[in-house]
């Protein structure tokens, strides 16, 4: 969501009735009530930071997905669907499902059995303090900055959609999140994320239902899009044979290897924002089932995000345009597609619920950032580097204060972005620098016991530095795109994917070479951390339908069928 | 999920759906009695009536099934 200031016209898109305001106010009251109710259940570090490790698979799974389902994601990908067609679905299917299943069935046993508090905490156990410090400092720094960017973007959306003052939106939403997370810790964040997940669906599902009725069903919708835009807009794979044949300027190798493998696996298996939710599961089976449940619901998110964008191509009387053109002409931009569709079908009450869904999406994402930041700061930076042997009570108190301070830093970032818009582009690029190499380090550490502590650290550092170098190279010399992204016709998204792929390859190569040249840890120190030396509880005593592998296979088959249906 | 006999998250979800459903259904019925001058597209389908009713029913089921009284008894 770049260049936010220029992306909306000035007039507000919708007008709320009294019942809509009541619904929004009730939502705020309920999330605060949940935080207040749970404040007595967060007295220990295990309770505050890990939700007592007693969440069921369903709660951990819905929370896992909800922390990712921010409102900017909803609005941004609906806009992308209008602009690029059904290609945007790749970010929900191949860009998520295989990675989530891999996390559940391959990586979760090691995260869970090691009893780590965080992903940087796993790096400490596997590779030592230097790898943890590199990972935790970069994660903590980027998480609060991203939270601030999302906060500013959401406040701008509220200003344009509802006419709300930006300062009012920033402070009301951030104080609410700070209060309920500081009071109840991760448990409060997770409870609210489950509630927010339900409200997102309840508020957003009306649009595709009514839209499909108006368009006359899926077949008629495709026919109308073919007339008003292009038939390519409803094909997922068949246009990816060449960079020039599709509006994204992307090749199938970028989607499969860059997005589907490196970026997706990096985000879903090593970003602590989402992994933290699964670590709160009550046992190993629940921890394995949680990402599978998340994957099952993730497959259906395009129905409330991508489908509204496609429906808008067919039913909206006006043509939506880019941000600059919208400002110049006084028209509407792609980014307004979801509020426009909401205003088209939602009368009083439904409109309030739809706006609540957007606010809930924003708050779930922000609470995810803040609770992950709090845990990494307290356990992986403060306890590891600043104060090693304090009491559990001291760390919980630090966690509560860190929640508030993290929110305040986010608010500061939001105001900084308001003054210097270009910061958004840089921070979002910075965030991508760490994800792909981290996946290389973690997956090698889990699956190859020969990986040495030195190999893990230098591989992670080399991968990150190579990613930054490629980004700087293209910034300084745009013609370098032909080398980084393999084609001068590639666009921003393609560049991101190939940069992630190369940095992952650099990370893995350096890790392997350095590991072979240095001394590995003995097997006795790798128990619970690495495949081959960790006893993993078998599931042979369970009925077939109780086994995570069975449900993982079911989700994967449905995923394949969906892709074939819209090939 | 509950701890020490506490309230289930599904009860909170039920209460939320129940209150939102009742408000949306009420707004939909009001619109039938007093049709708006600028109705939404497909107003004749009265989406807020059936969607509000569906949320209300689901909310009642969840509120009762996961009621703290019922769980602790």
């Amino acid at each position: 969501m770049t260049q936010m200031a220029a992306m909306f016209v000035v007039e507000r898109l919708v007008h709320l009735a009294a019942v809509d305001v009541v619904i929004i106010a009730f939502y705020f009251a309920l999330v605060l009530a949940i935080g207040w109710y749970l404040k007595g259940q967060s007295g220990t570090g295990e309770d505050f930071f890990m939700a007592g490790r007693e969440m069921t698979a369903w709660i951990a799974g819905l929370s896992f997905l909800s922390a990712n389902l921010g409102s900017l994601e909803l609005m941004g990908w609906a806009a992308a669907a209008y602009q690029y067609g059904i290609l945007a679905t790749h970010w929900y299917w191949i860009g998520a499902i295989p990675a989530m299943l891999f996390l559940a069935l391959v990586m979760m046993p090691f995260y869970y059995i090691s009893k780590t508090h965080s992903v940087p905490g796993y790096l400490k156990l596997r590779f030592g303090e230097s790898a943890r410090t590199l990972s935790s400092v970069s994660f903590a720094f980027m998480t609060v900055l991203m939270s601030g960017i999302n906060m500013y973007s959401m406040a701008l959306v509220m200003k344009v959609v509802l006419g709300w003052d930006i300062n009012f939106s920033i402070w009301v939403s951030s104080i609410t999140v700070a209060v309920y997370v500081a009071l109840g810790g991760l448990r409060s964040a997770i409870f609210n994320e489950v509630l927010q997940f339900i409200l997102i669906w309840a508020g957003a599902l009306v649009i595709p239902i009514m839209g499909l009725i108006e368009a006359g069903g899926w077949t008629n919708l495709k026919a109308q899009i073919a007339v008003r835009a292009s038939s390519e807009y409803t094909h997922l794979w068949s246009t990816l044979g060449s960079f020039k044949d599709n509006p994204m300027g992307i090749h199938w190798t970028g989607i499969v290897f860059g997005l589907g493998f490196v970026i997706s696996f990096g985000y879903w298996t090593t970003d602590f924002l989402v992994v933290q939710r699964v670590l709160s599961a009550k046992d190993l089976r629940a921890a394995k089932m949680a990402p599978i449940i998340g994957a099952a619901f993730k497959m259906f998110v395009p129905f409330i995000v991508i489908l509204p964008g496609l429906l808008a191509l067919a039913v909206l009387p006006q043509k939506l345009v880019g941000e600059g053109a919208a400002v110049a002409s006084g028209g509407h931009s792609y980014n307004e597609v979801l509020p426009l569709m909401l205003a088209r079908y939602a009368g009083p009450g439904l409109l309030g619920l739809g706006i609540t869904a957007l606010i809930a999406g924003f708050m779930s994402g922000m609470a995810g950032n803040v609770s992950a930041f709090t845990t990494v700061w307290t356990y992986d930076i403060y306890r590891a580097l600043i104060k090693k042997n304090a009491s559990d009570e001291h760390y919980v108190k630090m966690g509560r204060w860190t929640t508030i301070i993290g929110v305040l830093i986010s608010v500061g970032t939001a105001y900084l972005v308001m003054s210097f818009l270009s910061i958004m582009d840089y921070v979002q690029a910075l965030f991508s620098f760490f994800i792909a190499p981290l996946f290389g380090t973690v997956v090698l550490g889990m699956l190859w016991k020969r990986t040495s502590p030195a190999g893990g650290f230098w591989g992670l550092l080399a991968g990150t530095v190579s990613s930054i170098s490629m980004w700087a190279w293209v910034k300084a010399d745009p013609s370098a795109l032909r080398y980084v992204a393999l084609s001068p016709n590639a666009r921003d998204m393609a560049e991101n994917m190939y940069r992630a792929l190369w940095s992952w390859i650099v990370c893995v190569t350096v890790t392997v070479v350095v590991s072979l040249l240095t001394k590995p840890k003995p097997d006795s120190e790798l128990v619970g951390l690495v495949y081959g030396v960790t006893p993993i509880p078998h599931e042979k005593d369970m009925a077939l339908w109780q086994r995570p592998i069975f449900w993982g296979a079911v989700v994967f088959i449905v995923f394949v069928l969906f892709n074939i249906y819209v090939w | 999920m509950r701890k020490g006999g506490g309230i289930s998250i599904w009860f909170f979800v039920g209460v939320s759906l129940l209150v939102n459903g009742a408000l949306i259904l009420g707004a939909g019925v009001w619109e039938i009695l007093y049709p708006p001058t600028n109705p939404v597209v497909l107003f004749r389908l009265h989406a807020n009536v059936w969607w509000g009713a569906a949320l209300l029913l689901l909310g009642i089921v969840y509120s009762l099934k996961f009621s703290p009284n019922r769980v602790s008894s």
Side-chain angles (χ1 to χ4, degrees):
Chain A
M1 300 290 280
T2 59
Q3 305 294 320
M4 294 288 289
M7 78 182 222
F8 292 116
V9 290
V10 175
E11 66 185 48
R12 73 177 67 172
L13 290 178
V14 299
H15 294 266
L16 299 179
V19 67
D20 300 317
V21 177
V22 171
I23 286 173
I24 295 170
F26 174 70
Y27 165 74
F28 276 94
L30 190 60
V31 295
L32 287 172
I34 290 174
W36 182 257
Y37 167 71
L38 292 172
K39 76 180 192 311
Q41 298 182 18
S42 60
T44 69
E46 198 71 358
D47 282 336
F48 188 84
F49 297 106
M50 304 305 298
R53 293 192 201 259
E54 57 176 23
M55 296 294 134
T56 63
W58 276 93
I59 291 174
L62 295 185
S63 167
F64 170 72
L65 186 55
S66 186
N68 160 264
L69 201 60
S71 54
L72 290 176
E73 164 152 325
L74 300 179
M75 294 187 56
W77 286 111
Y82 186 93
Q83 197 175 356
Y84 302 119
I86 205 168
L87 286 179
T89 309
H90 284 304
W91 273 255
Y92 291 89
W93 289 354
I94 195 167
I97 307 303
M100 293 164 93
L101 298 180
F102 186 79
L103 170 68
L105 300 173
V106 178
M107 296 176 74
M108 214 54 235
F110 305 108
Y111 277 138
Y112 197 83
I113 292 171
S114 70
K115 289 290 175 194
T116 180
H117 289 97
S118 64
V119 174
Y122 176 82
L123 293 181
K124 158 73 171 65
L125 297 171
R126 180 65 182 86
F127 298 118
E129 199 62 74
S130 51
R132 163 158 81 174
T133 302
L134 176 62
S135 168
S136 58
V137 170
S138 58
F139 177 82
F141 181 64
M142 299 314 305
T143 300
V144 286
L145 290 187
M146 283 299 291
S147 178
I149 285 175
N150 289 339
M151 186 187 294
Y152 167 70
S153 305
M154 185 61 200
L156 201 58
V157 169
M158 288 295 123
K159 177 182 169 62
V160 176
V161 175
L162 300 172
W164 287 359
D165 178 68
I166 282 188
N167 297 301
F168 172 81
S169 296
I170 285 178
W171 283 104
V172 168
S173 57
S174 58
I175 288 173
T176 305
V177 170
V179 167
Y180 78 70
V181 178
L183 284 173
L186 183 62
R187 181 181 279 110
S188 180
I190 287 177
F191 268 45
N192 274 307
E193 280 159 5
V194 173
L195 175 68
Q196 287 150 355
F197 179 85
I198 304 291
L199 288 174
I200 288 168
W201 278 89
L205 195 56
V206 171
I207 297 175
I209 293 173
M210 300 298 285
L212 280 175
I213 291 172
E214 186 184 3
W218 174 245
T219 304
N220 283 339
L221 172 63
K222 285 198 296 183
Q224 290 172 50
I225 290 175
V227 172
R228 298 192 64 179
S230 163
S231 60
E232 292 171 355
Y233 275 59
T234 51
H235 290 283
L236 195 59
W237 289 100
S238 59
T239 62
L240 294 181
S242 164
F243 286 94
K244 292 179 182 174
D245 289 347
N246 60 83
M248 272 190 182
I250 204 162
H251 190 259
W252 70 267
T253 53
I255 290 287
V256 172
F257 299 111
L259 173 67
F261 180 55
V262 176
I263 290 182
S264 165
F265 276 64
Y267 176 75
W268 288 104
T269 66
T270 64
D271 190 326
F272 185 53
L273 165 67
V274 288
V275 173
Q276 184 181 29
R277 273 73 197 140
V278 190
L279 291 177
S280 72
K282 64 179 182 177
D283 55 35
L284 180 56
R285 181 181 174 274
K288 291 170 80 171
M289 281 302 297
I292 294 171
I293 291 169
F297 281 97
K298 183 78 177 176
M299 264 193 306
F300 291 94
V301 174
F303 287 91
I304 58 171
V305 177
I306 307 299
L307 195 47
L310 295 175
L311 286 162
L313 279 168
V315 303
L316 282 184
Q318 71 270 45
K319 177 90 174 163
L320 306 185
V321 293
E323 292 149 17
V327 172
S329 66
H332 294 290
S333 84
Y334 306 127
N335 296 296
E336 295 169 75
V337 67
L338 205 55
L340 282 170
M341 293 297 281
L342 189 63
R344 184 175 180 82
Y345 299 121
L350 276 181
L351 190 58
L353 191 61
I355 297 298
T356 301
L358 291 178
I359 296 172
F362 162 68
M363 287 171 62
S364 65
M366 185 180 174
N369 277 313
V370 168
S371 55
F373 167 77
T374 298
T375 304
V376 167
W377 165 263
T378 306
Y379 278 132
D380 297 308
I381 298 175
Y382 181 75
R383 190 173 73 172
L385 304 175
I386 300 171
K387 190 158 183 151
K388 286 191 174 166
N389 298 311
S391 65
D392 189 55
E393 188 184 3
H394 175 83
Y395 292 125
V396 172
K397 190 181 285 184
M398 172 56 67
R400 291 191 205 280
W401 279 108
T402 305
T403 301
I404 293 165
I405 292 167
V407 169
L408 289 177
I409 297 173
S410 299
V411 170
T413 306
Y415 280 103
L416 196 65
V417 172
M418 209 182 296
S419 304
F420 306 100
L421 271 176
S422 58
I423 289 175
M424 289 176 73
D425 295 333
Y426 290 101
V427 173
Q428 285 172 349
L430 280 172
F431 195 74
S432 70
F433 296 153
F434 303 103
I435 287 295
L438 183 59
F439 169 59
T441 304
V442 172
V443 81
L444 273 177
M446 281 183 176
L447 301 182
W448 190 41
K449 68 179 184 178
R450 182 66 182 77
T451 312
S452 69
F457 173 74
W458 289 108
L460 183 60
L461 188 62
T464 305
V465 170
S466 70
S467 184
I468 295 169
S469 303
M470 281 183 276
W471 177 80
W473 187 22
V474 175
K475 276 280 175 194
D477 176 14
S479 68
L481 194 62
R482 69 176 65 236
Y483 305 111
V484 173
L486 301 179
S487 167
N489 297 314
R491 299 191 185 173
D492 289 351
M493 285 183 177
E495 183 201 343
N496 289 337
M497 287 175 205
Y498 281 101
R499 193 175 65 230
L501 185 58
W502 300 138
S503 64
W504 181 83
I505 290 172
V506 168
C507 170
V508 169
T509 305
V510 172
T511 303
V512 170
V513 170
V514 175
S515 293
L516 291 174
L517 297 173
T518 53
K519 188 180 172 188
K521 279 187 169 183
D523 284 5
S524 59
E525 292 181 23
L526 298 178
V527 176
L529 300 171
V530 184
Y531 180 78
V533 292
T534 301
I536 297 174
H538 63 76
E539 296 163 349
K540 290 176 184 168
D541 296 336
M542 292 181 192
L544 181 66
W545 60 272
Q546 290 179 313
R547 295 182 196 175
I549 185 78
F550 170 76
W551 290 108
V554 169
V555 169
F556 191 77
I557 290 167
V558 176
F559 157 74
V560 171
L561 293 176
F562 274 5
N563 276 274
I564 292 171
Y565 184 70
V566 287
W567 187 269
Chain B
M1 189 65 243
R2 61 188 66 83
K3 185 182 181 184
I7 302 173
S8 165
I9 176 57
W10 302 115
F11 175 72
F12 289 113
V13 169
V15 169
S16 175
L17 294 178
L18 190 156
V19 172
N20 284 320
L23 288 167
I24 293 167
L25 175 61
V29 172
W30 180 269
E31 277 200 326
I32 292 175
L33 297 174
Y34 305 98
T37 49
N38 295 310
V40 294
V41 174
L42 298 178
F43 173 73
R44 60 188 162 77
L45 296 180
H46 299 293
N48 40 10
V49 172
W50 53 261
W51 194 249
L55 295 183
L56 177 63
L57 279 176
L58 203 59
I60 291 171
V61 170
Y62 267 70
S63 299
L64 292 177
K65 183 173 169 57
F66 295 98
S67 160
N69 295 332
R70 183 187 168 108
V71 167
S72 59
S73 63

